[in-house]
């Protein structure tokens, strides 16, 4: 005997069918599930590697964990516009300017997809932005480093967007449907970002001695912060085990970091730049590139708010939000007017 769950492609066996029927009789639906709920259906969906949708029952801790993660991801996208936005007016050619503008605009779009995904969990975008502005929610620490030269646009695209892709591709299979679908689109655009960064460095590495030195300096400054983007080592990662069990996270921080190093070292060789790590060596047996010790005290310091640009980034973000208040008010007024004018269905 088998049964199709409404709106799903999953076929359950007899034991699961009984469990789902029992669950359906006792559960409360919707994003706010602070009453005791039967999680049999949730657990069956997770076990079958199916997606959880906003209408489904979910543990409150799962919902909260996703809100935290998706909000942090969304905040990172829009804060990440700042270090590169600062270089749009200084891009060395019209072609570079057009590419950089398109990339920064993509990051704004990523923020929008992700805030929308977070809203399906019963939180409002205004509230999430308030939390960002008040320092109650985080964004990726990588954006608290300054962009000193044009070559930083290359290093950010190649290394920072490269690390972001490595982190995000597994999220396309994340157990929460709206997040997984948003990330699929994000990843397509990120791979373009990574290639444009590679191409900037490739070109500089074949330019004058000064351009080559500028490219090397940017890689030297961004390499270690990029490795820190995968988060603390597995044995110190607070949310990892639960996120893996819930199918939100698919690979551990250390696995993803290793994969990034293995892919990036040969790319650096092709560009013709070195990576600032004397311990970098190919382990012939495993095929993995071994790398040196990461300075986690620096990571902690930047995370605590002591990075070179933490205060500037949040202040700039707040000012942009305040300056844009009239646009939001006008858009809301226009939407309200449209609703009034709509003929009753
Ligand atoms: Fe992005
Ligand atoms: Fe990007």
């Amino acid at each position: 005997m088998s049964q199709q769950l409404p709106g799903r492609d999953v076929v359950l066996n007899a034991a699961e069918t009984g469990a789902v029927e029992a669950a359906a009789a006792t559960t409360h639906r919707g994003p706010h599930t602070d009453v005791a709920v039967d999680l049999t259906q949730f657990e069956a969906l997770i076990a079958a590697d199916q997606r959880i949708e906003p209408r489904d029952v979910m543990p409150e801790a799962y919902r909260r964990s996703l809100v935290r993660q998706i909000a942090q991801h969304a905040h990172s996208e829009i804060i990440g516009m700042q270090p590169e936005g600062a270089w749009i007016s200084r891009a060395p050619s019209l072609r570079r300017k057009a590419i950089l503008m398109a990339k920064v605009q993509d990051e704004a779009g990523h923020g929008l997809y992700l805030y929308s995904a977070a809203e399906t969990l019963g939180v409002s975008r205004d509230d999430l932005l308030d939390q960002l502005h008040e320092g109650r929610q985080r964004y990726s620490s990588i954006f608290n480093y300054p962009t000193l030269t044009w070559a930083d646009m290359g290093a950010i695209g190649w290394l920072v967007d490269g690390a972001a892709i490595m982190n995000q591709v597994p999220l396309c299979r994340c157990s929460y449907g709206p997040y997984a679908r948003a990330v699929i689109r994000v990843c397509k655009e990120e791979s373009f970002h990574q290639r444009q960064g590679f191409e900037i460095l490739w070109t500089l590495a074949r330019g004058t001695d000064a351009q080559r030195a500028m490219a090397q300096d940017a890689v030297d400054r961004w390499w270690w912060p990029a490795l820190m983007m995968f988060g603390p080592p597995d044995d110190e990662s607070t949310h990892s085990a639960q996120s893996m069990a819930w199918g939100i996270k698919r690979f551990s921080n250390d696995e993803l970091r290793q994969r990034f190093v293995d892919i990036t070292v040969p790319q650096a060789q092709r560009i013709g730049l070195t990576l600032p790590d004397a311990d970098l060596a190919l382990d012939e047996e495993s095929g993995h590139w071994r790398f040196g010790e990461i300075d986690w005290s620096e990571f902690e310091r930047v995370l605590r708010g002591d990075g070179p640009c933490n205060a500037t980034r949040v202040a700039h973000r707040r000012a942009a939000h305040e300056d844009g208040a009239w646009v939001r008010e006008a858009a809301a007024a226009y939407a309200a007017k449209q609703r009034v004018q709509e003929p009753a269905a």
Side-chain angles (χ1 to χ4, degrees):
M1 180 187 149
S2 69
Q3 180 183 321
Q4 195 79 27
L5 273 172
R8 296 183 182 285
D9 296 330
V10 61
V11 177
L12 301 173
N13 64 31
E16 288 167 335
T17 307
V20 170
E21 277 164 3
T26 57
T27 48
H28 305 257
R29 293 180 173 272
H32 292 292
T33 53
D34 33 6
V35 283
V37 291
D38 186 330
L39 297 172
T40 317
Q41 186 192 22
F42 172 82
E43 278 153 17
L45 288 168
I46 296 285
D49 204 12
Q50 296 297 306
R51 301 287 87 87
I52 307 296
E53 296 298 338
R55 63 172 180 265
D56 291 329
V57 167
M58 62 188 85
E60 176 59 13
Y62 174 84
R63 189 187 73 83
R64 272 205 310 266
S65 177
L66 275 166
V67 168
R68 179 188 56 78
Q69 181 171 341
I70 302 173
Q72 182 169 329
H73 190 167
H75 298 331
S76 303
E77 299 286 355
I78 62 165
I79 293 281
M81 295 168 72
Q82 292 185 36
E84 290 174 291
W87 278 90
I88 291 175
S89 61
R90 291 177 283 174
S93 69
L94 184 59
R95 174 174 174 267
R96 294 293 184 197
K97 196 189 288 282
I99 294 171
L100 187 59
M101 275 176 73
K103 182 195 190 275
V104 172
Q105 194 172 313
D106 282 353
E107 306 300 5
H110 298 173
L112 295 182
Y113 313 154
L114 291 162
Y115 285 121
S116 299
E119 283 180 312
T120 66
L121 291 159
V123 290
S124 79
R125 190 176 306 196
D126 285 347
D127 186 45
L128 296 178
L129 286 171
D130 284 347
Q131 296 199 51
L132 169 66
H133 299 153
E134 288 159 18
R136 286 184 286 126
Q137 278 179 344
R138 284 179 171 154
Y139 56 88
S140 175
S141 284
I142 194 80
F143 301 119
N144 289 323
Y145 291 88
T147 44
L148 304 181
T149 69
W150 170 252
D152 287 32
M153 299 305 98
I156 289 182
W158 178 45
L159 297 173
V160 175
D161 291 87
I165 295 169
M166 198 58 73
N167 268 328
Q168 290 170 21
V169 165
L171 287 172
C172 298
R173 293 193 296 119
C174 150
S175 62
Y176 188 58
Y179 190 27
R181 290 188 289 274
V183 173
I184 290 171
R185 192 157 170 190
V186 168
C187 282
K188 285 187 179 154
E189 294 174 345
E190 293 302 351
S191 70
F192 150 73
H193 299 170
Q194 202 256 354
R195 282 173 227 185
Q196 64 88 36
F198 182 93
E199 201 239 346
I200 289 174
L201 290 179
W202 171 276
T203 308
L204 290 173
R206 276 145 194 79
T208 63
D209 287 350
Q211 285 172 323
R212 198 185 151 72
M214 184 168 76
Q216 184 60 60
D217 170 66
V219 170
D220 289 348
R221 282 181 290 108
W222 288 95
W223 173 249
W224 290 106
L227 292 193
M228 294 177 201
M229 284 175 70
F230 296 92
D234 291 349
D235 48 8
E236 288 165 34
S237 176
T238 30
H239 304 292
S240 281
Q242 183 60 74
S243 286
M244 297 272 252
W246 277 330
I248 298 173
K249 205 174 160 81
R250 300 285 176 168
F251 300 98
S252 76
N253 295 353
D254 288 332
E255 281 172 329
L256 291 169
R257 186 165 17 243
Q258 182 64 59
R259 201 178 287 188
F260 175 73
V261 173
D262 289 343
I263 286 183
T264 310
V265 173
Q267 292 178 357
Q269 292 171 335
R270 226 165 302 150
I271 296 174
L273 295 173
T274 57
L275 296 170
D277 181 356
D279 294 329
L280 207 55
L282 182 63
D283 176 6
E284 299 281 355
E285 212 166 290
S286 65
H288 291 305
W289 283 90
R290 298 296 166 215
F291 51 95
E293 205 59 44
I294 294 173
D295 179 4
W296 289 110
S297 63
E298 179 188 317
F299 178 76
E300 295 295 333
R301 195 166 50 77
V302 179
L303 207 62
R304 275 202 314 272
D306 260 353
C309 301
N310 294 54
T312 328
R313 298 294 184 236
V314 173
H316 186 85
R317 171 67 217 144
R318 271 205 212 114
H321 190 71
E322 280 156 24
D323 290 348
W326 69 271
V327 179
R328 291 190 300 280
E329 280 161 26
Y334 181 74
K337 204 162 102 186
Q338 294 296 105
R339 271 196 301 275
V340 170
Q341 284 171 357
E342 256 170 37

